[in-house]
Amino acid sequence: MDHFLYRDGMLHAEDVPVADIAAAVGTPFYVYSTATLLRHFQLFDDALSWTDHLVCFAMKSLSNQAVLRVLAQAGAGMDVVSQGEYLRAKAAGVPGDRIVFSGVGKTAEEMRTALEGGIRQFNVESEPEMERLDQVARSLGCVAPITIRVNPDVDAKTHAKIATGKSENKFGIPISRAREVYAMAARLPGLRVIGIDVHIGSQLTELAPFEAAYKKVAELTEQLRADGHEISRLDLGGGLGIPYTRSNEAPPVPTDYGALIQRTVGHLGCEIEIEPGRLISGNAGLMVAKVIYVKSGEDRDFLILDGAMNDLIRPAMYEAWHDIVPVIEPQPGVEPTKYDIVGPVCESGDTFAKGREMPRLKPDDLVAFRSAGAYGAVMSSEYNSRLMIPEVLVHGDHLAVIRRRPTYEDMIARDTVPEWLA
């Protein structure tokens, strides 16, 4: 469910007409719904109400300060994967004891920043990282709380580029070696083992892979406790998918996911952490663009938009589907037309959809890309020297620009010409 609905023939973001936002900020732009963000966070929080838990928002999906503050004020923790994300979380008012640091390539500087600023735990992914963290923690005279990420060799049945739990993926320690690695961690004085971490991928549309992974984690928990380790926290990752098209079968809901967690690991008495990103932010955002031209080709018609692959790269990178809808509601019975929907970037990969049925559109008409809140703005770039597009947050009938569109002067001024070329 989201809060982007047609009302009186016009697509609204909560109570704000999308066309009014376009008039205020220009196109293209992203718009996020506060109500949808909060609703989706609350679904996860309620799904784990049977136990001690923390829902940590995966910031890599959407990291705007205003969005982080909305979720932090609702009680969310944050899952960060870089020093920049850590500092963004802190700037948004998230205390260190609600920040989890993940990622396979943490540097000594990142470790030091988190230890000095406060951290709930590091999800450690390798023995070399473990040794580096031990050195940094001891140099600061502190002890770093850690979980160790295990790779359960479970096929998440998702896109190859976002699968993380198979043996060939770069993430985590093979679960077959976990007892050996935990024994090593116990010997390092700068570390304190508190639990286990697992994350098998993103955009999972069925629960079976989670169940297979969590059963392995439950078995490992018993083994590690028998070896004398304190295992009081299970970080079970994120990855629950969203419906990118209204015609697809709906993925599992957080209630079912919470019940699965209770069934597979609930008997262990551990605090539970989960790290959803896409299901909280995905359907909470639209990208809105304007039609520049309608072009007739040899065997097809093209809608050429002012939004491009640099603004929303998921279709080009993942062959991802986004529902694309007109901002003005089509009249009942209007015969659709098939379009290839493309942007102005100079490569054929700048294609959002092929043969997509739409009502007949004309230049200056607005279209909205649904489910664009996750991995949209955060993956955007200035390719072709195109300006980064603004982000807008709505709350009821209020709207605020939460990232402005820079000027061309802003963009060019970031370059520095050496004096010998002056």
Side-chain angles (χ1 to χ4, degrees):
M1 176 186 170
D2 60 47
H3 293 77
F4 302 109
L5 301 171
Y6 287 110
R7 189 183 307 168
D8 299 325
M10 172 71 69
L11 187 65
H12 281 61
E14 298 191 20
D15 296 327
V16 181
V18 169
D20 288 1
I21 304 174
V25 305
T27 57
F29 64 87
Y30 281 98
V31 58
Y32 310 119
S33 160
T34 300
T36 307
L37 289 164
L38 290 174
R39 180 181 184 276
H40 290 173
F41 166 75
Q42 196 61 52
L43 287 174
F44 278 109
D45 204 38
D46 292 346
L48 295 178
S49 60
W50 50 270
T51 190
D52 290 338
H53 67 277
L54 182 65
V55 178
C56 294
F57 176 60
M59 278 180 56
K60 60 182 177 288
S61 71
L62 178 58
S63 59
N64 188 286
Q65 288 285 286
V67 169
L68 301 184
R69 187 157 296 197
V70 165
L71 294 171
Q73 290 180 353
M78 296 291 155
D79 172 53
V80 307
V81 294
S82 71
Q83 183 170 358
E85 286 193 351
Y86 176 85
L87 294 174
R88 277 181 175 271
K90 293 283 285 187
V94 185
D97 62 6
R98 297 216 317 257
I99 301 176
V100 173
F101 208 132
S102 302
V104 301
K106 307 177 193 72
T107 67
E109 180 183 0
E110 288 176 318
M111 294 170 179
R112 190 173 296 110
T113 296
L115 287 168
E116 290 175 341
I119 192 71
R120 181 176 178 84
Q121 79 209 32
F122 293 91
N123 291 337
V124 174
E125 302 232 11
S126 67
E127 295 100 313
E129 180 192 337
M130 193 183 299
E131 292 171 335
R132 178 69 55 82
L133 181 58
D134 171 64
Q135 294 166 2
V136 173
R138 285 189 289 111
S139 74
L140 295 174
C142 64
V143 176
I146 71 166
T147 68
I148 296 175
R149 180 171 178 175
V150 297
N151 186 322
D153 193 22
V154 168
D155 185 356
K157 302 186 187 302
T158 188
H159 194 287
K161 292 181 181 178
I162 51 177
T164 62
K166 297 177 69 176
S167 59
E168 67 261 31
N169 299 134
K170 67 181 180 179
F171 300 94
I173 291 161
I175 198 167
S176 60
R177 295 188 52 241
R179 297 174 76 178
E180 165 193 345
V181 176
Y182 271 84
M184 173 185 169
R187 295 192 294 268
L188 297 175
L191 306 182
R192 180 169 67 89
V193 174
I194 58 174
I196 302 171
D197 173 44
V198 66
H199 177 56
I200 60 173
S202 184
Q203 187 52 20
L204 274 70
T205 56
E206 54 184 83
L207 290 176
F210 288 117
E211 184 164 11
Y214 296 167
K215 284 181 176 178
K216 290 187 176 185
V217 168
E219 181 180 358
L220 179 61
T221 300
E222 303 281 16
Q223 293 171 345
L224 292 174
R225 284 175 170 173
D227 291 343
H229 300 286
E230 176 194 354
I231 305 297
S232 59
R233 182 179 297 165
L234 298 180
D235 185 327
L236 300 177
L240 198 61
I242 66 172
Y244 276 101
T245 171
R246 308 257 162 153
S247 60
N248 280 359
E249 183 178 352
V253 296
T255 303
D256 295 336
Y257 177 61
L260 169 67
I261 293 173
Q262 185 173 19
R263 185 169 70 250
T264 53
V265 300
H267 63 287
L268 297 170
C270 292
E271 181 183 20
I272 300 297
E273 289 172 348
I274 57 172
E275 296 157 359
R278 189 188 311 264
L279 205 149
I280 290 177
S281 61
N283 287 333
L286 302 177
M287 187 183 81
V288 178
K290 182 173 66 177
V291 177
I292 304 175
Y293 300 115
V294 181
K295 175 182 175 181
S296 295
E298 182 69 27
D299 60 353
R300 66 195 64 204
D301 290 338
F302 296 91
L303 280 185
I304 303 175
L305 308 180
D306 61 358
M309 63 185 291
N310 70 294
D311 304 312
L312 178 63
I313 200 171
R314 295 189 68 257
M317 186 170 183
Y318 301 118
E319 303 84 40
W321 174 288
H322 286 267
D323 275 344
I324 306 171
V325 299
V327 168
I328 302 298
E329 186 174 19
Q331 294 296 316
V334 169
E335 190 71 24
T337 300
K338 284 188 177 181
Y339 295 106
D340 282 12
I341 303 175
V342 303
V345 161
C346 291
E347 60 176 271
S348 295
D350 187 22
T351 298
F352 294 116
K354 292 186 175 182
R356 188 68 66 88
E357 289 193 345
M358 300 281 290
R360 191 172 295 279
L361 296 172
K362 62 185 185 303
D364 295 331
D365 285 344
L366 301 174
V367 296
F369 290 72
R370 291 190 176 273
S371 306
Y375 306 103
V378 290
M379 296 182 76
S380 59
S381 74
E382 292 177 343
Y383 185 44
N384 279 198
S385 289
R386 290 170 50 81
L387 297 176
M388 301 285 280
I389 68 176
E391 294 173 271
V392 174
L393 182 69
V394 298
H395 178 54
D397 60 358
H398 298 283
L399 71 90
V401 177
I402 57 176
R403 183 179 75 180
R404 70 175 180 86
R405 192 190 313 274
T407 66
Y408 287 108
E409 290 77 14
D410 293 333
M411 180 177 66
I412 293 168
R414 290 202 304 273
D415 298 345
T416 300
V417 178
E419 61 181 25
W420 66 81
L421 293 176

